[in-house]
Amino acid sequence: MPGKLKAKIVAGRHLPVMDRASDLTDAFVEVKFGNTTFKTDVCPKSLNPQWNSEWFKFEVDDEDLQDEPLQITVLDHDTYSANDAIGKVYIDIDPLLYSEAASVISGWFPIYDTIHGIRGEINVIVKVELFNDLNRFRQSSCGVKFFCTTCIPQCYRATLVHGFVEELVVNEDPEYQWIDRIRTPRASNEARQRLISLMSGELQRKIGLKVLEMGGNAVVGYLQCFDLEGESGLVVRAIGTACTLDKLSSGSAPNTNTHMHPNTAPASNACNSPSKDGKEPVFVEDLPSSSGPPTPFRALPTSSSPPPFSPSKPCSRQSSSSDTDLSLTPKTGMGSGGSAGKEAGPLRTLLRQQTQTALEQREFPFFTLTSFPPGFLLHVGGVVSARSVKLLDRIHNPALGNTRSYKLLDWNSVTADEPETRDAWWEEIRQEIKSHARALGCHAVVGYSESTSICEEVCILSASGTAAILNPRYMREGCLDIGCTDHRFEEPSPPNCGFCHIPYDELNMPFPAQLTYCYHCRRQKVPDVLFTTIDLPSEAAVAGKGCLIQARLCRLKKKAQGEANATAISNLLPFMEYELHTQLMNKLKLRSMNALFGLHIQISVGENMLLGLASATGVYLTALPAPGGIQIAGKTPGDLSSEHISSIQKRINDTIAVNKELYQINPPKLFALDPEVFCGINMELAEEGVGSPIPEPRHRSRLFRSHSESSDELSELDLSHGKKDAFVLEIDDTDAVEDIHSLLIDAPPPTGFYSCNTENMPGISNWTSGVQMFTSVRVLRLSNANLTNQGLNKIFTDLCENLLKSFYFKLRSMIPCCLCHLNFTVAVPEEELIQVTVTAVAMTYDKEQTQEKTAEKPVNKGSLEAEEQLQFPLELCADSSSSNIQTASKISGVGESTNMSPRAASVDYGSFADRCSTWLELLRLKAHTIRRGSVKTSRRTQSLAHSVSSLERCSPLQEGRSRSLRSSRSFGGSSVTVVKMTPLSFLPGTRIIKYLGIINMFFIRETTSLREEGGVSGFLHSFIAEVFAMVRAHVAALGGNAVVSYSMKECVFMENPNKNQAQCLINVSGDAVICISETDQESSASTANTGQTGGSETDGAT
Amino acid sequence: MSVELDVFVGNTTIMDEEVYQLWLDGYTVNDAVKVRMEGGVMDECEASKDVLLSDTMDQYRTFQMCERLLHSPAKLANQLLFQIPPHRQIMLIERYYAFDDTFVREVLGKKLSKGTKKDLDDISAKTSVTLKSCRRQFDNFKRVFKVVEELKGPLVENIRQHFLLSDKLARDYAAIVFFANNRFETGKRKLQYLSFQDFAFCAGQLISNWTVGAVDNMVEDMDEHAFQTLPSLRGKTKVFIEMEGSFKNLSRGLINIAAKLTNTKDVRDFFIDLVEKFIEPCRSDRWSAADMKLYLTHYTNSAHILDTFKHQVVWDRYMGVVKSCIFKMYHD
C-alpha cells in the first residue's frame, strides 16, 4: 500500500551569482522522487528567490519511501543553453515514517554541489501521509526505529532484547563503470552519492524486516559501514541489535547522570513473539533450559554454543577450504582471561546443544550495545576478536549496475547460496568470534563491532567484541516484570564487582592464569587484568580516574601482488596483535591500572606497511588486584651496565608514581595484600636474568590464533612470553631500549584535562554544559624511503601524540574538561601517506566536586587502613552527590581560589549555546510581532534575519520599527537553530525527550582547483565544515536541537597535487534528538554553576 | 617526513581573539606564531611550536573562510556553515570593521577608487600598518560607501543596520563616507595636526545639522538657499564691529566661508578655510580656547541684536556647526 509524499519549495537565499552579466540568478527547482519529477517556476533575477510553490505530491510505495531519498535540484535557467545546476539537496524521509518521530521536515537546507560545496540555502517543507499496511508479505519495514546509540536510548525502556541483526548489499561502484570515462566528475559523484543513499535505504529496510520477523520494533546500536572495494564493487553493510522498546512517559523520565534505565518495567504485550517461524533469537529459545541460577564458578551451560568442532559448524571450514578462497585467515582471538578451549564445552551439554545447533546456525548471540541496564551483564570474560585477510574479487551480482532489479533478485535469494559472497566471509568471522567466546565460557558477545581495511585487492575483515554472560531474564518475554529487584541471583554478587568475576571454569583452564578472590566480595574469583570493548558499567567500583591508553604500531611489508601480498599480510597480523597487546599491557601497568574498557584495535593496510592502533580507556577496578610494576631485566648480566638498567627502572617507577598521583589512584587497602605491592621491590632481579625471576607469575594474557585452513586445531600463541612474567621487560638490544623509551614518551594530558574513548569518563560524572565536538584530520607524508620499523613507529606515535597535544591546546579555554569518546581512525591512503582522523567531544565538568573527592580520599585513607572498611568504595561512586562539602573546605584555601577564575570563564563560554537558544525563542517572538506589520508569510522556521533582509532595502524605516529590529539584532540575531553534536549518547545537563530518527549521510566533494581553495587543508577544512552544516540543517529541519551518538564512519581523502585535484568522501551518522535542559536537577549539584545553566531551562522546547 | 594536511573543525567554530587580531593586523602565519610565542601561550597546556603553528594555520583558514561572510555581516547571522555564538559574531564583525586612526587619517577625503588603492603601499610604509590590513580597511570603507550610497534615510542608522556595527563605529564610518563623498581636503600640511577623531566630530556636526538626512545628495542638502542669503550679511556686520582689527578679519573670514558653501568645489576647502581664516589668526594672537569660546558665542548672539538681520535661523544653523568645529579643531 502506498504512501503520499508531499513537498513544497518555499524560498532560497544566498544563491551564487550564475549570470555574470547581471550578477544575478534565474533560479528554479526540480523535485524528484523515484522517477517522478516536478519543477517550480523560474524566479528571475534574484539571489533570494521566493518560489512559494504548490505542494508537489508523489504517490509511492512505502518500500520506495524507505529506500529513496527526496532529491531537490536547484538550477539556473538559461534560455539559449542548457540549464546550469547550482546544487542539490538529498532529504532522507525515513524519519517521517515512524509514528512517534518527526511529523514534518521543514527548514533551510544548504544547497550542495560536489564540485563547489555549499552554494546558498533552500527552504523546503516535506510531509508524508502513510497508509497502514497489514499485508504480511510486505517488503517494507516502516515503523522500525533505528538508533546509532549503543545503549538503550533515553526515554525508552527495553522490554526485550532480541539479538543480532545484520545485512549487506552490494553493487558496482559508479566510479568504476565504463560510463565514468565520458561523464563529468559532477555526474559521477552524484551517481555515487545517490547510489549509496539508495543502498543505505534498502539496507535499513531489510534490517527492519528482520527485526519485524523477530518481533522487535527497533534496532539499537545500528552500525552501518561501506567498503569501497574499487573495481570489485561497493558493499554497504550494517549490524545492530534488535530490541522491543517501549516509550517512557515523560513524567517517569530517568535522571541524566545514569543514561541508562533501570530495566524493571513490566513487559509489554505489544509484540507477540513469532516463535513459530523458528527464527526466534537464541536466548528466547534456549535459556529455559538453563533455568538454574547461573553460578560463576562453573562454566555456564552455554547452550548457545555447539561443541567447537562438531559437524554442525561447517560454515567457516567449508568456505576457507574452498580453492577459490584465499585460505589465509589468521583469526586471532584475544582475551586477557584466556580460553578454556575445547574443555569449555562440557560433555553433558553436548547432547542438547546438538539438537539446537540447527536453529542456531544462522544466529549469533551478539550485541552491538556497549552499555547495558544494571543487572543485564552478569560476567565479562574478555575481548574476543577475529581477523581474516581476503582477496577481493568481483562481487557476484546478477544484476550489476541496477539496484532495483538486483534487489528483487536478491529477495528471491538468488545470491544466498553463492559461496563467494561477502556474506559468507562475515559469517565465517562471526563463527570464529562465537567459538572464541565459547572458549571463554561465555554464551554471548557484547560491544560487538565489525570493520574492514582495504588496499588494492586485499581486504582485512575484522570483528571484535567482549565475551560475556548475560542475565537470561532480559532475553525472555514475560520475565521482565520480575525485574532485577527480585530473586535474580541466589549468588549474592554485588553489582559493582559481579561483572569482573570470571565466567569460565577455573578448574578447566588450560593455562595457569592468576586468579584471585574478588577484592570486593571475597567470594568469587577475578582475573588480574580485564580487557573489554564495552563501556565501564555505571555501577562498577572504580578508584581514581580513567585515561586514554593507546598502543601504536607500524610494520613495513614488501610490496606484492595478489596472493603473495595477502600471505605477507596474514603472516604479519599475529605479530602485530601480539605487540599491540604487549604495549597496551605495559602502558596499563605504567598507569597503575588494571582494566581496559572500550578497547578498539584497528589494523590498517597500505601498499608497503601495516598500521595498528589500539585505543582503550584504562581504569582501576577496585575489585581486581592491584597491578604490579614493571621490571627491567638485562638479557645477560654483562649485557648492559646495571646502572643503566636501574636508571631506566627508576624512571619507570617514577612514572608509575606520578601517574598514580595524576589519576588519583588510591585504592582502598581492604585486605592485607600479601606480596601484592611489589612495585619495584624486586630490583635485584635485574641481574638474575631470564630464568624464573618472579616467584609467582602475576599475569597471563593470551592470544589465540587459529589457522582454520590448515587444521581444526587451535594453535595458541601465548602472549605471556612463555614462563616469563609479562611485566619483565628485557633489554637485550637497542630495540628494546627504544621500546621502553617509547613507552615513556606518552605525555600525560596537561593539568585540567582528562581523556577517554568511552561513553563515560571513569571518575567524572559532574558534567557542566560546555560541549565541543570536533573532527581533526592529519596526513603525514613519509619522505624518507628507507625507514625502519622503529623509525616508523616513532613517527606514528609522535603523530598521535601531537594530535592530542593540539587538542589540549585548542580546547584550553574549556579547562577543566575531559575529551570523551576519542575515536582515532588510521589509514594509509597512498604509499607514503599516513592519515589519522579523530572525532571526539570535549566536555567541561565541575572541578569543585572532583576536588571534594580527591580531598576526601587522603582523609579517609588513614582511617581505612586501620579498619577494613568494605563499604567505602561503594559510597565513593554510588552517590557522589553526598560527598561532603566539609572536606572541600579543607582544600579550599589555595586550590579553589586559583581554580575558580578559569572555570568561571570556561563555563560561561560553554553554557553559551544554551543561552543563545533561549534568545532564539525570544527572537522568534519578536519576529512574529515584526512580521505582523509586513506582508510576509509567517512560517515558524522562517528566520528573523531573513525578514530583516527583505526589509533592508525599504526606504526610511519607521523609527520604532527600526529600533526594535536593531535591538533584537544586537542581542545577537542568530536565527539559525543551535544544534549541538556529540559522539556520546547523552548531552550533559539535558534530557532527551524525543528521538527524531537516524541521520546517515554520505557526501563526496571534489575539486579541480586545489590551490585556489587553500590547498589540501583548505579543501578538507571547508568540506568538514560543510558536512557539519548539512547535518545540523537536517536535524534542525526535523525539529531537533542535537545529534547524539554522532560518528564519522568514513573519511576517504585522495589528492593529486600535480593535477591540482583532490577528492574526499565522508560518511557520518547519528541520532537526531530533541533535548531539554534538565530542570529537576539534584540539589546537590546546584553549587556554583546553576546560575549559569539556569538561564537555559526552556531551550529547545520548540 | 612532512605534515601534508592538518585540519581541526569544531561543531562550534573555535576562534581565538588574539589570533584574530593578528590576522586582521596582517601578520603572516609565521610572524603570528612568533608573536604568540612571545606572548607566552606556550606555557599554557605545554604547547610546542608545532602545536602553535598548527593552531594558527587552522584559525587563519577559518578566518579566511569567514571573511566572505563578514563582507555582508547580516549573512553571518543566518548562514549555516559556521556555528558561531552570537556574541562571537558581534566580536568578529566589530573587529573586522575596526580601523587604524593613522591609516584612515591618510585616506580621509580621498576618492575611494582604484587609484587610491594603488597608493596603499605608500600609506602602509608611512603609517606602519601592514599592507594587508590597509587593504582590508580600505575595502571596508569602499564597501560601506557602496552600500549606503544608494540608500535613503539617516546615514549612521543605515550603516549600523547593514553592517551590524556598534554606534561608535557606525558614526566613524558615516564620517568616512561623508568625507569621501564630499572629497573634503584634509591632506594639506596645515591640517596635519588634526586627528581623525577631530574630523569625525566635525563630520558628525555637519551631517546632523547641514544635511537633510540622506547621503546621496548631500551637497544639495546643504541648503543652498539658506546660505545664499548669508552674503547679504557681509555689509551689515560691518556696522557692528566695535572690536579690534583682527576681529574684523575673523568675522569676514567666517562669512566668506559661509558664502563659499554654495559652491561644491569650494566646500572641499571648508576645513582648510577654517584653519587659515580663523584658527591660525587666533593662534598667532595666542588666544586661549576660552577666549575663542567667548568670542564665538558673543559673535553669534550679536546677530540677533541686529534688527535688519532676517536670517536668524540660518545664521544659528551655520554658526552652531562652525562653532563646535572650531572648538574641536582649536588645539595644537
Side-chain angles (χ1 to χ4, degrees):
Chain A
M1 267 291 275
K4 195 190 274 178
L5 172 70
K6 302 196 296 177
K8 182 182 174 119
I9 308 297
V10 183
R13 68 181 183 197
H14 308 158
L15 293 189
V17 170
M18 298 301 282
D19 180 3
R20 285 278 158 75
S22 65
D23 268 3
L24 289 167
T25 296
D26 306 321
F28 72 100
V29 181
E30 275 183 8
V31 187
K32 189 177 176 197
F33 190 82
N35 295 319
T36 319
T37 308
F38 293 103
K39 281 183 191 174
T40 66
D41 298 331
V42 175
C43 186
K45 303 210 181 307
S46 172
L47 297 182
N48 299 294
Q50 300 283 327
W51 289 290
N52 236 324
S53 77
E54 57 186 301
W55 284 100
F56 300 122
K57 297 186 183 87
F58 302 88
E59 290 177 345
V60 279
D61 277 352
D62 47 359
E63 190 187 334
D64 287 335
L65 281 175
Q66 283 195 296
D67 289 7
E68 296 255 1
L70 180 69
Q71 184 180 323
I72 293 165
T73 314
V74 186
L75 297 117
D76 176 49
H77 176 75
D78 217 327
T79 319
Y80 303 109
S81 59
N83 298 326
D84 299 321
I86 295 174
K88 291 193 178 206
V89 179
Y90 292 96
I91 301 178
D92 181 13
I93 40 185
D94 223 42
L96 294 181
L97 305 179
Y98 322 132
S99 51
E100 54 203 82
S103 58
V104 63
I105 298 177
S106 161
W108 289 99
F109 291 90
I111 302 168
Y112 180 72
D113 178 72
T114 58
I115 306 293
H116 293 103
I118 290 179
R119 304 171 98 189
E121 289 128 35
I122 186 169
N123 195 322
V124 182
I125 310 173
V126 184
K127 285 180 181 171
V128 170
E129 279 169 35
L130 204 60
F131 311 118
N132 245 342
D133 187 6
L134 298 173
N135 178 6
R136 61 184 293 261
F137 299 108
R138 66 181 184 167
Q139 300 199 354
S140 82
S141 53
C142 290
V144 176
K145 288 183 283 289
F146 285 80
F147 300 92
C148 292
T149 301
T150 55
C151 60
I152 301 301
Q154 282 181 46
C155 76
Y156 285 97
R157 81 182 157 221
T159 51
L160 205 60
V161 182
H162 298 274
F164 188 61
V165 279
E166 47 77 29
E167 185 63 86
L168 63 79
V169 292
V170 292
N171 208 311
E172 203 175 18
D173 192 338
E175 186 99 338
Y176 294 88
Q177 284 166 342
W178 67 268
I179 195 169
D180 204 59
R181 293 178 192 177
I182 54 168
R183 65 180 164 194
T184 63
R186 176 181 282 121
S188 165
N189 292 338
E190 281 172 4
R192 249 176 142 185
Q193 282 191 172
R194 197 179 123 76
L195 179 70
I196 289 193
S197 178
L198 264 175
M199 288 169 80
S200 315
E202 181 188 342
L203 193 68
Q204 222 170 307
R205 177 175 56 81
K206 285 185 171 175
I207 290 215
L209 278 171
K210 288 192 174 179
V211 172
L212 288 177
E213 214 175 314
M214 287 172 154
N217 64 4
V219 181
V220 183
Y222 185 68
L223 174 76
Q224 186 202 290
C225 297
F226 61 85
D227 304 328
L228 297 168
E229 297 187 348
E231 288 284 345
S232 61
L234 190 63
V235 177
V236 184
R237 58 195 162 76
I239 54 175
T241 307
C243 296
T244 303
L245 297 184
D246 266 3
K247 187 143 171 65
L248 290 168
S249 58
S250 56
S252 66
N255 68 355
T256 44
N257 281 355
T258 67
H259 45 284
M260 291 186 300
H261 306 284
N263 215 328
T264 55
S268 76
N269 47 7
C271 81
N272 292 317
S273 158
S275 52
K276 44 192 173 296
D277 62 11
K279 281 186 179 169
E280 190 69 351
V282 175
F283 295 114
V284 184
E285 288 289 318
D286 68 18
L287 281 160
S289 60
S290 63
S291 52
T295 54
F297 279 105
R298 215 176 302 156
L300 252 199
T302 50
S303 45
S304 64
S305 33
F309 309 112
S310 72
S312 59
K313 206 190 86 175
C315 192
S316 66
R317 307 281 168 253
Q318 275 178 1
S319 65
S320 55
S321 57
S322 65
D323 290 347
T324 45
D325 191 4
L326 189 78
S327 306
L328 303 153
T329 56
K331 297 173 210 82
T332 52
M334 202 157 86
S336 61
S339 148
K342 289 149 243 171
E343 294 93 327
L347 269 172
R348 56 199 154 82
T349 58
L350 197 75
L351 248 169
R352 194 179 62 236
Q353 284 166 351
Q354 273 174 338
T355 61
Q356 289 185 354
T357 44
L359 266 179
E360 292 156 1
Q361 198 58 57
R362 295 176 56 185
E363 292 295 342
F364 295 98
F366 296 171
F367 299 86
T368 54
L369 302 179
T370 58
S371 57
F372 303 90
F376 188 94
L377 203 62
L378 291 186
H379 306 293
V380 169
V383 171
V384 285
S385 77
R387 286 180 212 284
S388 162
V389 183
K390 298 286 184 186
L391 266 185
L392 294 174
D393 207 348
R394 194 160 275 269
I395 296 173
H396 179 81
N397 188 339
L400 278 176
N402 185 340
T403 33
R404 311 302 303 178
S405 58
Y406 164 63
K407 181 167 62 188
L408 289 171
L409 283 166
D410 180 52
W411 193 250
N412 300 327
S413 65
V414 166
T415 52
D417 51 4
E418 178 62 51
E420 266 303 293
T421 55
R422 305 301 185 259
D423 264 321
W425 290 357
W426 287 112
E427 169 93 8
E428 191 184 316
I429 295 236
R430 287 172 194 142
Q431 289 292 354
E432 201 65 44
I433 291 277
K434 193 171 158 183
S435 72
H436 284 315
R438 202 169 47 240
L440 286 171
C442 294
H443 63 214
V445 175
V446 294
Y448 179 74
S449 66
E450 296 175 346
S451 64
T452 58
S453 169
I454 297 170
C455 176
E456 303 288 306
E457 76 276 89
V458 175
C459 174
I460 304 181
L461 310 183
S462 316
S464 69
T466 305
I469 292 177
L470 305 177
N471 189 341
R473 274 164 185 82
Y474 288 93
M475 303 296 136
R476 271 183 301 159
E477 243 179 299
C479 287
L480 281 174
D481 40 1
I482 303 163
C484 44
T485 50
D486 233 347
H487 70 290
R488 198 156 32 114
F489 332 89
E490 278 100 277
E491 37 126 344
S493 75
N496 51 10
C497 66
F499 74 95
C500 305
H501 301 162
I502 52 162
Y504 35 85
D505 191 340
E506 190 190 4
L507 300 172
N508 278 327
M509 281 193 311
F511 57 89
Q514 184 62 36
L515 299 179
T516 42
Y517 278 106
C518 174
Y519 278 61
H520 247 280
C521 58
R522 298 297 280 173
R523 292 191 189 139
Q524 280 143 23
K525 294 284 179 82
V526 291
D528 49 357
V529 173
L530 189 64
F531 283 16
T532 71
T533 58
I534 55 169
D535 286 323
L536 180 71
S538 54
E539 66 270 23
V542 168
K545 300 205 168 45
C547 82
L548 179 79
I549 293 180
Q550 280 192 324
R552 302 128 182 165
L553 191 65
C554 270
R555 277 284 167 271
L556 289 166
K557 85 175 174 62
K558 286 210 177 73
K559 270 195 231 175
Q561 294 295 314
E563 291 205 18
N565 194 18
T567 315
I569 293 169
S570 52
N571 285 340
L572 270 173
L573 281 182
F575 294 100
M576 294 195 65
E577 298 247 17
Y578 169 82
E579 215 158 305
L580 285 171
H581 186 274
T582 313
Q583 261 191 48
L584 279 179
M585 191 60 82
N586 286 333
K587 288 187 177 178
L588 188 68
K589 298 292 162 201
L590 206 57
R591 285 167 180 78
S592 187
M593 295 174 182
N594 57 17
L596 286 181
F597 287 89
L599 177 64
H600 179 78
I601 301 180
Q602 196 197 356
I603 292 191
S604 207
V605 58
E607 260 179 75
N608 61 343
M609 66 171 123
L610 286 171
L611 286 181
L613 181 66
S615 308
T617 300
V619 75
Y620 186 101
L621 288 177
T622 50
L624 302 189
I630 295 174
Q631 301 290 325
I632 303 294
K635 182 93 174 167
T636 56
D639 243 3
L640 287 151
S641 66
S642 56
E643 290 145 52
H644 182 60
I645 291 173
S646 58
S647 78
I648 294 176
Q649 180 72 61
K650 188 172 178 308
R651 270 183 69 194
I652 288 180
N653 291 344
D654 289 350
T655 313
I656 292 176
V658 166
N659 281 330
K660 264 191 171 175
E661 190 79 10
L662 184 66
Y663 301 111
Q664 297 155 4
I665 296 168
N666 304 302
K669 301 228 170 15
L670 298 179
F671 309 100
L673 304 173
D674 37 309
E676 296 288 359
V677 199
F678 60 96
C679 165
I681 52 163
N682 292 332
M683 285 284 279
E684 71 278 7
L685 283 172
E687 293 103 73
E688 278 184 22
V690 223
S692 53
I694 289 177
E696 40 174 332
R698 304 230 56 83
H699 164 72
R700 284 287 170 266
S701 60
R702 321 186 60 82
L703 183 141
F704 296 96
R705 181 159 174 252
S706 57
H707 289 277
S708 46
E709 80 280 4
S710 55
S711 68
D712 285 345
E713 291 293 317
L714 277 171
S715 69
E716 294 182 2
L717 191 69
D718 194 345
L719 276 183
S720 53
H721 306 248
K723 280 188 160 182
K724 282 176 282 172
D725 191 295
F727 303 148
V728 179
L729 294 179
E730 240 175 52
I731 303 182
D732 46 3
D733 55 12
T734 46
D735 281 5
V737 177
E738 280 293 313
D739 282 343
I740 291 169
H741 278 303
S742 70
L743 199 64
L744 292 166
I745 218 168
D746 282 8
T751 18
F753 275 108
Y754 287 99
S755 56
C756 68
N757 74 335
T758 47
E759 284 267 311
N760 35 21
M761 170 71 190
I764 297 180
S765 58
N766 41 336
W767 303 110
T768 51
S769 57
V771 172
Q772 170 67 275
M773 191 280 294
F774 61 87
T775 290
S776 182
V777 183
R778 208 169 267 199
V779 177
L780 208 65
R781 182 175 289 280
L782 309 165
S783 48
N784 190 351
N786 303 319
L787 276 169
T788 58
N789 277 337
Q790 293 287 351
L792 265 177
N793 272 348
K794 174 106 175 52
I795 289 171
F796 184 39
T797 303
D798 286 349
L799 176 59
C800 296
E801 283 290 312
N802 287 339
L803 264 170
L804 284 170
K805 279 182 195 153
S806 269
F807 301 157
Y808 297 138
F809 181 73
K810 277 192 188 289
L811 300 162
R812 65 194 185 284
S813 66
M814 292 179 78
I815 286 176
C817 93
C818 174
L819 300 185
C820 292
H821 214 285
L822 271 164
N823 183 17
F824 279 66
T825 316
V826 291
V828 191
E830 274 173 50
E831 200 175 313
E832 307 251 279
L833 297 183
I834 299 179
Q835 178 188 329
V836 180
T837 310
V838 188
T839 298
V841 64
M843 300 205 293
T844 55
Y845 63 90
D846 192 352
K847 196 162 188 175
E848 267 165 47
Q849 285 202 350
T850 50
Q851 277 190 340
E852 278 169 38
K853 278 194 188 175
T854 56
E856 203 171 20
K857 265 176 195 157
V859 171
N860 290 347
K861 206 172 133 190
S863 60
L864 264 177
E865 277 165 346
E867 35 161 353
E868 298 175 0
Q869 196 171 4
L870 186 74
Q871 294 290 63
F872 171 65
L874 251 166
E875 280 177 0
L876 192 73
C877 57
D879 51 355
S880 59
S881 57
S882 72
S883 51
N884 37 359
I885 294 137
Q886 293 96 306
T887 47
S889 63
K890 286 180 184 170
I891 49 121
S892 66
V894 186
E896 241 175 21
S897 57
T898 49
N899 288 320
M900 265 314 266
S901 53
R903 205 198 99 243
S906 68
V907 166
D908 187 46
Y909 175 65
S911 62
F912 168 76
D914 286 338
R915 256 182 288 141
C916 72
S917 36
T918 46
W919 284 344
L920 195 73
E921 287 306 302
L922 199 134
L923 288 177
R924 278 194 182 150
L925 277 173
K926 286 202 173 167
H928 277 296
T929 55
I930 290 161
R931 264 188 234 117
R932 204 171 295 148
S934 62
V935 213
K936 299 224 60 73
T937 54
S938 63
R939 294 198 342 85
R940 183 179 62 89
T941 49
Q942 189 146 23
S943 63
L944 165 68
H946 182 73
S947 69
V948 168
S949 64
S950 64
L951 288 168
E952 272 165 5
R953 297 258 158 190
C954 297
S955 52
L957 290 162
Q958 282 170 11
E959 188 61 15
R961 191 198 279 176
S962 71
R963 185 124 318 190
S964 76
L965 275 177
R966 196 178 59 250
S967 64
S968 57
R969 258 188 188 164
S970 60
F971 257 87
S974 168
S975 56
V976 181
T977 316
V978 173
V979 176
K980 291 189 180 182
M981 290 163 78
T982 175
L984 307 177
S985 62
F986 67 101
L987 270 170
T990 65
R991 189 155 54 87
I992 295 171
I993 53 163
K994 197 169 181 184
Y995 280 80
L996 299 164
I998 199 167
I999 296 280
N1000 188 358
M1001 298 167 103
F1002 173 80
F1003 298 104
I1004 302 178
R1005 180 88 152 75
E1006 190 167 344
T1007 184
T1008 49
S1009 51
L1010 189 59
R1011 274 187 294 276
E1012 293 76 1
E1013 293 198 36
V1016 283
S1017 295
F1019 170 72
L1020 195 63
H1021 192 139
S1022 55
F1023 184 37
I1024 294 174
E1026 282 167 353
V1027 169
F1028 285 179
M1030 288 185 276
V1031 170
R1032 287 193 302 256
H1034 277 78
V1035 172
L1038 286 167
N1041 61 1
V1043 185
V1044 296
S1045 301
Y1046 168 84
S1047 72
M1048 185 175 277
K1049 297 281 175 49
E1050 206 83 45
C1051 178
V1052 185
F1053 179 75
M1054 288 158 287
E1055 57 163 334
N1056 189 344
N1058 297 332
K1059 283 187 174 175
N1060 207 16
Q1061 288 175 342
Q1063 192 191 35
C1064 186
L1065 293 80
I1066 287 183
N1067 178 218
V1068 294
S1069 64
D1071 293 326
V1073 297
I1074 302 176
C1075 60
I1076 56 164
S1077 160
E1078 186 67 23
T1079 44
D1080 45 354
Q1081 275 179 345
E1082 282 165 289
S1083 54
S1084 62
S1086 62
T1087 47
N1089 66 320
T1090 38
Q1092 273 142 345
T1093 53
S1096 60
E1097 292 196 332
T1098 52
D1099 76 329
T1102 51
Chain B
M1 190 191 69
S2 58
V3 175
E4 179 95 358
L5 181 161
D6 179 17
V7 297
F8 177 99
V9 190
N11 182 36
T12 305
T13 308
I14 294 181
M15 290 170 177
D16 186 319
E17 293 190 26
E18 188 203 343
V19 185
Y20 186 50
Q21 195 55 55
L22 292 170
W23 177 73
L24 289 173
D25 290 345
Y27 283 84
T28 63
V29 173
N30 286 328
D31 290 346
V33 170
K34 263 180 223 147
V35 173
R36 293 183 80 185
M37 276 164 73
E38 282 157 18
V41 210
M42 295 265 269
D43 306 335
E44 295 176 44
C45 292
E46 300 141 30
S48 67
K49 196 188 168 189
D50 289 342
V51 168
L52 215 55
L53 183 68
S54 148
D55 178 60
T56 313
M57 298 259 270
D58 256 329
Q59 305 235 17
Y60 266 52
R61 259 199 313 273
T62 311
F63 299 139
Q64 266 152 29
M65 284 189 255
C66 278
E67 193 167 17
R68 192 174 47 85
L69 298 164
L70 286 166
H71 289 170
S72 45
K75 266 191 195 170
L76 196 65
N78 62 8
Q79 52 84 32
L80 303 176
L81 190 56
F82 298 104
Q83 188 156 279
I84 306 170
H87 74 278
R88 289 253 147 179
Q89 291 181 14
I90 292 167
M91 184 277 290
L92 285 180
I93 296 167
E94 196 74 8
R95 293 255 188 111
Y96 189 77
Y97 282 90
F99 49 78
D100 291 304
D101 280 359
T102 51
F103 170 76
V104 72
R105 180 66 189 81
E106 294 297 319
V107 292
L108 201 63
K110 284 189 181 146
K111 201 174 170 189
L112 298 174
S113 64
K114 279 194 182 133
T116 318
K117 198 171 179 183
K118 273 178 196 149
D119 299 336
L120 285 183
D121 41 0
D122 294 339
I123 299 176
S124 163
K126 190 177 165 191
T127 58
S128 67
V129 174
T130 58
L131 185 59
K132 210 170 155 245
S133 179
C134 288
R135 292 217 172 105
R136 170 182 60 84
Q137 297 179 34
F138 185 79
D139 289 341
N140 282 344
F141 301 154
K142 217 172 148 180
R143 195 175 312 112
V144 173
F145 184 84
K146 229 179 150 182
V147 168
V148 293
E149 198 178 27
E150 297 161 9
L151 289 176
K152 292 188 169 151
L155 186 61
V156 179
E157 198 63 23
N158 279 339
I159 292 173
R160 194 158 47 187
Q161 275 189 22
H162 274 87
F163 293 93
L164 310 177
L165 299 178
S166 68
D167 196 57
K168 166 85 175 72
L169 204 51
R171 279 180 198 287
D172 284 350
Y173 267 93
I176 294 163
V177 169
F178 186 75
F179 269 78
N181 195 47
N182 291 298
R183 315 270 303 280
F184 284 110
E185 179 59 66
T186 63
K188 286 270 162 60
R189 181 190 293 256
K190 281 178 180 163
L191 294 176
Q192 284 305 315
Y193 79 100
L194 291 168
S195 72
F196 168 71
Q197 285 308 329
D198 295 334
F199 283 117
F201 174 82
C202 298
Q205 292 294 318
L206 264 58
I207 292 167
S208 51
N209 293 309
W210 288 1
T211 66
V212 168
V215 197
D216 50 352
N217 45 4
M218 271 179 290
V219 179
E220 289 94 310
D221 284 343
M222 285 220 235
D223 230 331
E224 284 177 52
H225 297 290
F227 292 126
Q228 267 162 3
T229 58
L230 281 177
S232 62
L233 280 173
R234 209 177 290 172
K236 291 169 189 167
T237 43
K238 278 180 191 164
V239 187
F240 243 92
I241 291 174
E242 299 162 357
M243 303 181 199
E244 295 153 60
S246 64
F247 278 45
K248 213 180 281 175
N249 287 337
L250 291 176
S251 170
R252 190 180 299 126
L254 284 179
I255 287 161
N256 283 338
I257 292 168
K260 279 170 87 180
L261 286 177
T262 51
N263 188 337
T264 320
K265 279 201 173 164
D266 293 333
V267 169
R268 291 182 189 174
D269 297 329
F270 177 69
F271 290 101
I272 191 93
D273 285 347
L274 275 187
V275 170
E276 279 178 352
K277 304 266 168 62
F278 195 88
I279 293 175
E280 282 190 340
C282 296
R283 198 179 284 152
S284 63
D285 289 348
R286 294 172 196 278
W287 284 21
S288 70
D291 291 341
M292 165 88 71
K293 212 170 221 168
L294 199 67
Y295 168 75
L296 284 173
T297 315
H298 280 287
Y299 182 68
T300 311
N301 292 340
S302 58
H304 297 278
I305 307 163
L306 204 69
D307 299 334
T308 48
F309 190 64
K310 296 192 181 72
H311 307 285
Q312 301 285 2
V313 182
V314 178
W315 176 251
D316 283 350
R317 194 169 153 199
Y318 172 71
M319 280 312 293
V321 171
V322 167
K323 202 164 70 181
S324 45
C325 285
I326 290 174
F327 287 165
K328 187 76 188 176
M329 290 162 71
Y330 193 70
H331 63 81
D332 293 328

